[in-house]
Amino acid sequence: MKGSVTEDHLYLDYLHQKEDCILPLHTSISLFLLSYCDCKTFRVFLVSPGEIPSDSQFTDEALPESLEFCLIERCQLPSVVQSCCLPAVVEKNGMFCRAGLAVVSRHIINRTYEVDPSKKEVLELLGFKKTCLKACAEISEWTRLCEISIPLAVENFLRQSPDERQSIPVEVLQFEKKLGEPVRVHNDDKIRRQKIQQQNLLVKKESNNSSEEGKSKEIQDSSPAELELSFSELTVQKIPVSTNREPSNIRKMKTSELPPLEHIFAEGLYFTLADVVLFPCIHLFWVFCKNHQDKMLPLISSWYQRVQKVPGIKKAAAKCKMQFVHCRGPSSFQDECPQRPCTASDEPEEENGDAHFIGGPRPTMTKLMKSGIEAVFCPHPHPTWALDWDSLPAAVNPGEGKMSSDRALRKRQQLNNLVALVTKLARPGDVIVDFCSGGGHVGIVLAHILPSCQIILVENKELSLMRAKERSDELGLNNIWFIQANMDYFKGTFNIGVALHACGVATDMVIERCTQVRAAFVISPCCYGFIQNTAKFTFPQSHQFKKVLSYKEHMVLCRFADQTAVQLPPERRRIGKHCMGLVDLDRAWSVERCNYSVQVTSMEPETCSPKNNLIVGVPI
């Protein structure tokens, strides 16, 4: 590869080329974004899954002209990257890795702006408050659709023979449905009033200043989407600012009387990263979907043609040798409702309904008690074990200069509990993963006191992980890796998994990852009220609880398990603690089916946190 060595290395899967695209689609999307950003601050490596034959068919036909590449084998990846799904970016020192399409895409945008602050239009791809595709795919239906579902569905579509491509993928139909939903945008009320004002101006022009009220209503009813184009300007996120105050009759209109805003781009009025990610997927779908009429997807067709006009898209398409498909336009739309998979936002209550359900925690606990199920807390195996915090370097202390003295004390007490259990399980050479690591309070302590073990911090939030890295650098730790990624994108093997206050189903995700590799785990759950059925998990989980409780009854336990705050009455806190124990007992019994010995205990002292349960599992 030519050019100077840059700080970050970008690794992309390379399975094979299909006409003008590279599979998997995550690679084509990443290259398209690099071309859009005109970003040359990365060394790009295409990663072959196996040995590269001497007569490799690797060509540059589907590669952007402005980028240079190096083809490597997967065994040549840095160790930290081998534990992750691609795409992935690694800093020069090889300790900090970002993995997954959404995380890598956001990093490409931020790095482009960091190197060249004049590229404000690139930074604005992250949208209002810079949150575009920031939420984890495990909890955000929209991120999952953009990052995983549509790329995978289109990729599977491309792999089919022309005769097999007879139906539109469900995920593409979901995008069509999304484009037909009301737009939610910052300053929604203000923009809708501006839309009324623009409609009135159009009426004035058409009526030559005569009899405008009747026609205003006529145009308002039609409300063409092209009016929203004046807000988007076919560029990037831009919050419109009205130079003139709306007339009083518009200001006094009720919100319910205002016209809806129609989708111009994927997330609403403004061009964002979501459009850049989805465009290569939909483009390839059109290219290989020659037997389908555009009338089946009128909203996607309009979106696709509109995105083509964005200047940055035109330039990126030229660099990627992408030939736009010119849609014939919708004529008569046939409703084809997508069959949506179960997600965290779906209501599973009909399927799990209970005609005799009675709300409140007491009937549910009584029902369990009659079946011989009660919350049982095992004695803490090391109740008095504690670190000598005064002898540790300041950077190890979680509360150094950032917390009140009381909060810092409670945090140290929490760490005493987790570290005591982990150190009793750990052996020299073990790999220990701190899931949902946040600022690294657990992982940094473990890396400092267990120098013979490799510690890996896995966290989706970049700022939290950067703070952890700063503390690690101050301590000079060389046995620690940092991975910014969704939990599902970490695929490495390890010996012990640990998590302090993993929220909602994150606890269940950590347990699942640990059981997949037969690793021990020490987990403190949190935010029981966020537990709900997802595409991966259904509740209750254990056979014993399923025989007694419905999903709705289990959710009652979860909601009241959050009623443990110190300001609540003692009786309510007691019930909350009991509900916590029952929810975690269900988890423990579920894991025992995987040949694990599992115990639920409480932190010592229990006052160190309202969420003071610990679930400890060891493979048998």
Side-chain angles (χ1 to χ4, degrees), residues 126-397:
L126 297 181
F128 182 67
K129 292 188 176 180
K130 307 296 182 286
T131 57
C132 183
L133 301 188
K134 186 176 183 180
C136 298
E138 292 95 341
I139 62 173
S140 169
E141 184 178 346
W142 174 241
T143 300
R144 173 171 287 275
L145 188 66
C146 295
E147 182 183 27
I148 300 174
S149 303
I150 288 181
L152 184 59
V154 173
E155 189 173 321
N156 291 335
F157 185 83
L158 301 184
R159 296 179 190 276
Q160 296 175 347
S161 67
D163 294 336
E164 294 176 316
R165 300 177 190 138
Q166 298 301 316
S167 60
I168 301 174
V170 170
E171 295 79 3
V172 175
L173 292 169
Q174 283 183 273
F175 183 37
E176 174 76 14
K177 180 181 177 182
K178 172 74 174 179
L179 291 175
E181 295 174 354
V183 170
R184 297 176 182 177
V185 65
H186 178 64
N187 278 345
D188 171 88
D189 185 275
K190 182 177 181 180
I191 297 174
R192 289 164 70 190
R193 294 181 194 279
Q194 290 179 17
K195 181 174 181 176
I196 286 281
Q197 194 169 7
Q198 287 195 13
Q199 290 170 336
N200 289 344
L201 289 174
L202 285 176
V203 172
K204 289 181 180 180
K205 291 180 181 179
E206 293 185 6
S207 62
N208 294 320
N209 298 320
S210 64
S211 184
E212 61 187 67
E213 292 185 3
K215 291 189 177 181
S216 175
K217 181 66 169 66
E218 180 182 342
I219 292 184
Q220 178 176 329
D221 290 341
S222 64
S223 137
E226 272 59 33
L227 282 172
E228 274 83 347
L229 284 171
S230 61
F231 301 131
S232 68
E233 296 184 4
L234 285 178
T235 53
V236 291
Q237 172 79 7
K238 191 172 184 179
I239 302 301
V241 178
S242 179
T243 55
N244 299 317
R245 192 179 185 187
E246 296 88 356
S248 61
N249 64 313
I250 295 179
R251 292 200 307 272
K252 293 177 181 178
M253 290 182 70
K254 296 180 181 178
T255 301
S256 59
E257 299 173 344
L258 298 174
L261 296 174
E262 301 180 35
H263 278 264
I264 298 300
F265 296 112
E267 294 192 341
L269 303 183
Y270 310 112
F271 185 75
T272 66
L273 173 61
D275 295 281
V276 181
V277 167
L278 292 171
F279 186 79
C281 302
I282 300 302
H283 167 75
L284 289 168
F285 174 73
W286 285 136
V287 169
F288 288 89
C289 188
K290 296 176 181 178
N291 294 329
H292 285 289
Q293 300 295 322
D294 301 338
K295 64 184 180 181
M296 299 299 295
L297 301 168
L299 301 180
I300 290 181
S301 176
S302 298
W303 168 85
Y304 175 73
Q305 295 176 78
R306 195 172 293 123
V307 173
Q308 290 180 23
K309 300 175 184 177
V310 176
I313 291 291
K314 292 181 180 179
K315 295 177 182 177
K319 293 176 182 177
C320 294
K321 308 177 186 68
M322 183 184 292
Q323 298 295 323
F324 291 147
V325 176
H326 298 288
C327 303
R328 287 163 290 186
S331 55
S332 60
F333 176 56
Q334 302 176 18
D335 290 328
E336 188 169 339
C337 298
Q339 298 176 356
R340 297 174 57 214
C342 179
T343 65
S345 62
D346 291 332
E347 289 292 338
E349 297 184 359
E350 291 297 324
E351 179 181 346
N352 301 279
D354 184 351
H356 305 288
F357 170 73
I358 302 175
R362 293 184 187 276
T364 304
M365 291 190 295
T366 301
K367 191 174 182 181
L368 288 170
M369 193 179 304
K370 288 181 179 178
S371 299
I373 299 176
E374 294 189 63
V376 178
F377 293 93
C378 299
H380 196 297
H382 313 289
T384 61
W385 191 96
L387 286 162
D388 184 2
W389 291 99
D390 292 336
S391 67
L392 296 175
V396 176
N397 194 322

Side-chain angles (χ1 to χ4, degrees), residues 482-512:
F482 305 87
I483 298 178
Q484 183 197 350
N486 296 353
M487 206 181 305
D488 280 348
Y489 299 152
F490 173 74
K491 299 298 184 182
T493 58
F494 54 98
N495 305 98
I496 303 172
V498 59
L500 174 59
H501 291 156
C503 293
V505 294
T507 288
D508 304 284
M509 293 175 66
V510 174
I511 291 174
E512 181 191 53

Side-chain angles (χ1 to χ4, degrees), residues 377-378 380 417 577 600-604 606 612-614:
F377 293 93
C378 299
H380 196 297
N417 284 269
K577 175 67 174 177
V600 179
T601 186
S602 295
M603 294 184 186
E604 292 289 345
E606 290 192 19
N612 51 33
N613 275 14
L614 286 172

Side-chain angles (χ1 to χ4, degrees), residues 389 394-400 402-403 408 411-412 415 441 445 471:
W389 291 99
V396 176
N397 194 322
E400 187 67 23
K402 298 183 177 69
M403 301 180 185
K411 182 60 69 176
R412 288 193 292 267
L415 295 178
H441 295 320
V445 173
R471 292 172 59 195

